Coordinates of all heavy atoms in Angstrom, one line a residue:
Y5 N 0.9 -1.2 0.0 CA 0.0 0.0 0.0 C 0.9 1.2 0.0 O 1.6 1.5 1.0 CB -0.9 0.0 1.2 CG -1.8 -1.1 1.4 CD1 -1.5 -2.2 2.2 CD2 -3.1 -1.2 0.7 CE1 -2.3 -3.3 2.3 CE2 -3.9 -2.3 0.8 CZ -3.6 -3.3 1.6 OH -4.4 -4.4 1.7
L6 N 0.8 2.0 -1.1 CA 1.7 3.2 -1.2 C 0.8 4.4 -1.2 O -0.1 4.6 -2.0 CB 2.5 3.1 -2.6 CG 3.3 4.4 -2.9 CD1 4.5 4.5 -1.8 CD2 3.9 4.3 -4.3
F7 N 1.1 5.3 -0.2 CA 0.3 6.5 0.0 C 1.2 7.7 -0.5 O 2.2 7.9 0.1 CB -0.1 6.7 1.5 CG -1.0 5.7 2.0 CD1 -0.6 4.5 2.5 CD2 -2.4 5.9 2.0 CE1 -1.5 3.5 3.0 CE2 -3.3 5.0 2.4 CZ -2.8 3.8 2.9
V8 N 0.7 8.4 -1.5 CA 1.4 9.6 -2.0 C 0.5 10.8 -2.2 O -0.7 10.5 -2.6 CB 2.2 9.3 -3.2 CG1 3.4 8.4 -3.0 CG2 1.3 8.7 -4.3
N9 N 1.0 12.0 -2.1 CA 0.2 13.1 -2.6 C 0.7 13.4 -4.0 O 1.5 12.7 -4.5 CB 0.4 14.3 -1.6 CG 1.8 14.8 -1.5 OD1 2.7 14.6 -2.4 ND2 2.1 15.4 -0.4
E10 N 0.1 14.5 -4.6 CA 0.4 14.8 -6.0 C 1.9 15.0 -6.2 O 2.5 14.6 -7.2 CB -0.4 15.9 -6.5 CG -1.8 15.6 -6.8 CD -2.6 16.7 -7.5 OE1 -3.1 17.6 -6.7 OE2 -2.7 16.8 -8.7
T11 N 2.5 15.8 -5.3 CA 3.9 16.2 -5.5 C 4.8 14.9 -5.4 O 5.7 14.7 -6.2 CB 4.4 17.1 -4.4 OG1 3.6 18.3 -4.5 CG2 5.8 17.5 -4.5
E12 N 4.6 14.1 -4.4 CA 5.3 12.8 -4.3 C 5.1 11.9 -5.4 O 6.0 11.2 -6.0 CB 5.0 12.1 -3.0 CG 5.4 12.9 -1.7 CD 4.6 12.6 -0.5 OE1 3.6 11.9 -0.6 OE2 4.9 13.2 0.6
G13 N 3.8 11.8 -5.9 CA 3.5 11.0 -7.0 C 4.2 11.4 -8.3 O 4.6 10.5 -9.1
T14 N 4.3 12.7 -8.5 CA 5.0 13.2 -9.7 C 6.5 12.9 -9.6 O 7.1 12.5 -10.6 CB 4.8 14.7 -9.8 OG1 3.4 15.0 -10.1 CG2 5.6 15.3 -10.9
Q15 N 7.1 13.1 -8.4 CA 8.5 12.8 -8.2 C 8.8 11.3 -8.5 O 9.8 11.0 -9.1 CB 8.9 13.1 -6.7 CG 9.0 14.5 -6.4 CD 9.4 14.7 -5.0 OE1 8.5 14.7 -4.1 NE2 10.6 15.0 -4.7
L16 N 7.9 10.4 -8.2 CA 8.1 9.0 -8.4 C 7.8 8.5 -9.8 O 8.4 7.7 -10.4 CB 7.3 8.2 -7.4 CG 7.7 8.2 -6.0 CD1 6.7 7.5 -5.1 CD2 9.1 7.5 -5.8
S17 N 6.8 9.2 -10.4 CA 6.3 8.7 -11.7 C 6.8 9.5 -12.9 O 6.8 9.0 -14.0 CB 4.8 8.7 -11.7 OG 4.2 10.0 -11.7
G18 N 7.1 10.8 -12.7 CA 7.4 11.7 -13.8 C 6.2 12.2 -14.5 O 6.3 12.9 -15.5
K19 N 5.0 11.9 -13.9 CA 3.7 12.3 -14.5 C 3.1 13.4 -13.6 O 3.4 13.5 -12.4 CB 2.8 11.1 -14.7 CG 3.3 9.9 -15.4 CD 3.6 10.3 -16.9 CE 4.1 9.0 -17.6 NZ 4.4 9.3 -19.0
E20 N 2.2 14.2 -14.2 CA 1.5 15.2 -13.4 C 0.0 15.0 -13.3 O -0.6 15.4 -12.4 CB 1.8 16.6 -14.1 CG 3.2 17.0 -14.0 CD 3.4 18.4 -14.4 OE1 2.5 19.1 -14.9 OE2 4.6 18.9 -14.4
E21 N -0.6 14.3 -14.3 CA -2.0 14.0 -14.3 C -2.3 12.9 -13.3 O -1.6 11.9 -13.3 CB -2.5 13.7 -15.7 CG -4.0 13.8 -15.9 CD -4.7 12.5 -15.4 OE1 -4.1 11.4 -15.6 OE2 -5.8 12.6 -14.9
P22 N -3.3 13.0 -12.4 CA -3.5 12.0 -11.3 C -3.6 10.6 -11.8 O -3.0 9.7 -11.3 CB -4.8 12.5 -10.7 CG -4.7 14.0 -10.8 CD -4.1 14.2 -12.2
E23 N -4.5 10.3 -12.8 CA -4.6 9.0 -13.3 C -3.3 8.4 -13.9 O -3.0 7.2 -13.7 CB -5.8 8.9 -14.3 CG -7.1 9.0 -13.7 CD -8.2 8.5 -14.7 OE1 -7.9 7.8 -15.6 OE2 -9.4 8.8 -14.4
A24 N -2.6 9.3 -14.6 CA -1.3 8.9 -15.1 C -0.3 8.5 -14.0 O 0.5 7.6 -14.2 CB -0.7 10.0 -16.0
I25 N -0.3 9.3 -13.0 CA 0.5 9.0 -11.8 C 0.2 7.6 -11.3 O 1.1 6.7 -11.1 CB 0.3 10.0 -10.7 CG1 0.9 11.4 -11.1 CG2 1.0 9.5 -9.4 CD1 0.6 12.5 -10.1
C26 N -1.0 7.3 -11.0 CA -1.5 6.0 -10.5 C -1.1 4.8 -11.4 O -0.5 3.8 -11.0 CB -3.0 6.0 -10.2 SG -3.5 7.1 -8.8
R27 N -1.4 5.0 -12.7 CA -1.2 3.9 -13.6 C 0.3 3.6 -13.8 O 0.7 2.5 -13.9 CB -1.9 4.2 -15.0 CG -3.4 4.2 -14.9 CD -4.0 4.5 -16.2 NE -5.5 4.7 -16.1 CZ -6.3 3.7 -16.0 NH1 -5.9 2.5 -16.0 NH2 -7.6 4.0 -15.9
T28 N 1.1 4.7 -13.9 CA 2.5 4.5 -14.0 C 3.2 3.8 -12.9 O 4.0 2.9 -13.0 CB 3.2 5.9 -14.2 OG1 2.7 6.6 -15.4 CG2 4.7 5.8 -14.4
L29 N 2.8 4.2 -11.7 CA 3.3 3.6 -10.5 C 2.9 2.1 -10.3 O 3.6 1.2 -9.9 CB 2.9 4.4 -9.2 CG 3.5 5.8 -9.1 CD1 3.0 6.5 -7.8 CD2 5.0 5.8 -9.3
A30 N 1.6 1.9 -10.7 CA 1.1 0.5 -10.6 C 1.8 -0.4 -11.7 O 2.0 -1.6 -11.4 CB -0.4 0.5 -10.9
E31 N 2.1 0.1 -12.8 CA 2.8 -0.6 -13.8 C 4.3 -0.9 -13.4 O 4.8 -2.0 -13.6 CB 2.8 0.1 -15.2 CG 1.5 0.2 -15.8 CD 1.5 1.1 -17.1 OE1 2.6 1.6 -17.4 OE2 0.4 1.3 -17.7
R32 N 4.8 0.0 -12.7 CA 6.2 -0.1 -12.2 C 6.3 -1.2 -11.1 O 7.2 -1.9 -11.0 CB 6.8 1.2 -11.7 CG 8.3 1.2 -11.4 CD 8.7 2.6 -11.0 NE 8.5 3.5 -12.1 CZ 8.6 4.8 -12.1 NH1 8.9 5.4 -10.9 NH2 8.4 5.6 -13.1
W33 N 5.3 -1.1 -10.2 CA 5.3 -2.0 -9.0 C 4.0 -2.8 -9.0 O 3.0 -2.5 -8.2 CB 5.5 -1.2 -7.7 CG 6.7 -0.4 -7.8 CD1 8.0 -0.9 -7.9 CD2 6.8 1.0 -7.6 NE1 8.9 0.2 -7.9 CE2 8.2 1.3 -7.7 CE3 5.9 2.0 -7.4 CZ2 8.7 2.6 -7.6 CZ3 6.4 3.3 -7.3 CH2 7.8 3.6 -7.4
P34 N 3.9 -3.8 -9.8 CA 2.6 -4.7 -9.9 C 2.3 -5.3 -8.5 O 3.2 -5.7 -7.8 CB 3.0 -5.8 -10.9 CG 4.1 -5.2 -11.7 CD 4.9 -4.3 -10.8
G35 N 1.0 -5.3 -8.2 CA 0.6 -5.8 -7.0 C 0.5 -4.8 -5.8 O 0.0 -5.1 -4.8
C36 N 1.0 -3.6 -6.1 CA 0.9 -2.5 -5.1 C -0.3 -1.7 -5.3 O -0.7 -1.3 -6.4 CB 2.1 -1.6 -5.2 SG 2.2 -0.3 -4.0
C37 N -1.1 -1.5 -4.2 CA -2.2 -0.6 -4.3 C -1.7 0.9 -4.1 O -1.1 1.2 -3.1 CB -3.2 -0.9 -3.2 SG -4.7 0.2 -3.1
I38 N -2.0 1.7 -5.1 CA -1.6 3.1 -5.1 C -2.7 4.0 -4.6 O -3.8 4.0 -5.2 CB -1.2 3.6 -6.5 CG1 -0.2 2.6 -7.2 CG2 -0.6 5.0 -6.5 CD1 1.1 2.4 -6.5
I39 N -2.5 4.7 -3.5 CA -3.5 5.6 -3.0 C -2.9 7.1 -3.1 O -1.9 7.4 -2.6 CB -3.8 5.3 -1.5 CG1 -4.2 3.9 -1.3 CG2 -4.8 6.3 -1.0 CD1 -3.2 3.0 -0.9
L40 N -3.6 7.9 -3.9 CA -3.2 9.2 -4.2 C -4.1 10.2 -3.6 O -5.3 10.2 -3.9 CB -3.1 9.4 -5.8 CG -2.7 10.8 -6.3 CD1 -1.3 11.1 -5.9 CD2 -2.9 10.9 -7.8
T41 N -3.6 11.1 -2.8 CA -4.4 12.2 -2.2 C -4.3 13.5 -3.0 O -3.2 13.8 -3.5 CB -4.1 12.4 -0.7 OG1 -2.7 12.8 -0.6 CG2 -4.3 11.2 0.1
L42 N -5.4 14.1 -3.2 CA -5.5 15.3 -4.1 C -6.0 16.6 -3.4 O -6.5 17.5 -4.0 CB -6.4 15.0 -5.3 CG -6.0 13.7 -6.1 CD1 -7.1 13.4 -7.0 CD2 -4.7 14.0 -6.9
G43 N -5.9 16.6 -2.1 CA -6.3 17.8 -1.3 C -7.8 18.0 -1.5 O -8.6 17.1 -1.3
T44 N -8.2 19.2 -1.9 CA -9.6 19.6 -2.0 C -10.3 18.9 -3.1 O -11.5 18.9 -3.2 CB -9.8 21.1 -2.1 OG1 -9.1 21.5 -3.3 CG2 -9.3 21.8 -0.9
R45 N -9.5 18.2 -4.0 CA -10.1 17.5 -5.1 C -10.3 16.0 -4.8 O -10.7 15.2 -5.7 CB -9.2 17.6 -6.4 CG -9.3 19.1 -6.9 CD -8.4 19.2 -8.1 NE -7.0 19.1 -7.8 CZ -6.1 18.3 -8.3 NH1 -6.5 17.4 -9.2 NH2 -4.8 18.3 -7.9
G46 N -10.1 15.6 -3.5 CA -10.4 14.3 -3.1 C -9.2 13.3 -3.1 O -8.1 13.7 -2.8
A47 N -9.4 12.1 -3.5 CA -8.4 11.1 -3.5 C -8.8 10.0 -4.5 O -9.9 9.9 -5.0 CB -8.3 10.5 -2.1
M48 N -7.8 9.1 -4.8 CA -8.1 8.0 -5.7 C -7.2 6.8 -5.3 O -6.2 7.0 -4.7 CB -7.9 8.3 -7.2 CG -6.6 8.9 -7.5 SD -6.4 9.2 -9.3 CE -7.8 10.2 -9.7
A49 N -7.7 5.6 -5.6 CA -7.0 4.4 -5.4 C -6.9 3.6 -6.7 O -8.0 3.4 -7.3 CB -7.6 3.6 -4.2

């Protein structure tokens, strides 16, 4: 279970769009649940 905010997600993935961050990290680490927090815009898993 990997918990990241947008800044951390971008640092790890090289992507800026939330869905692209999640998909890139999931492809890199298969089997890991990616949880991305987006502040006032909510969150995604």
Side-chain angles (χ1 to χ4, degrees):
Y5 300 97
L6 178 63
F7 294 86
V8 290
N9 60 26
E10 281 186 277
T11 300
E12 294 155 355
T14 296
Q15 286 178 281
L16 288 173
S17 68
K19 308 293 183 180
E20 295 187 358
E21 196 276 325
E23 287 200 13
I25 291 173
C26 291
R27 293 183 188 279
T28 299
L29 297 182
E31 289 173 5
R32 186 175 302 168
W33 302 304
C36 180
C37 177
I38 310 298
I39 303 99
L40 177 66
T41 56
L42 302 167
T44 58
R45 290 179 290 125
M48 54 177 53

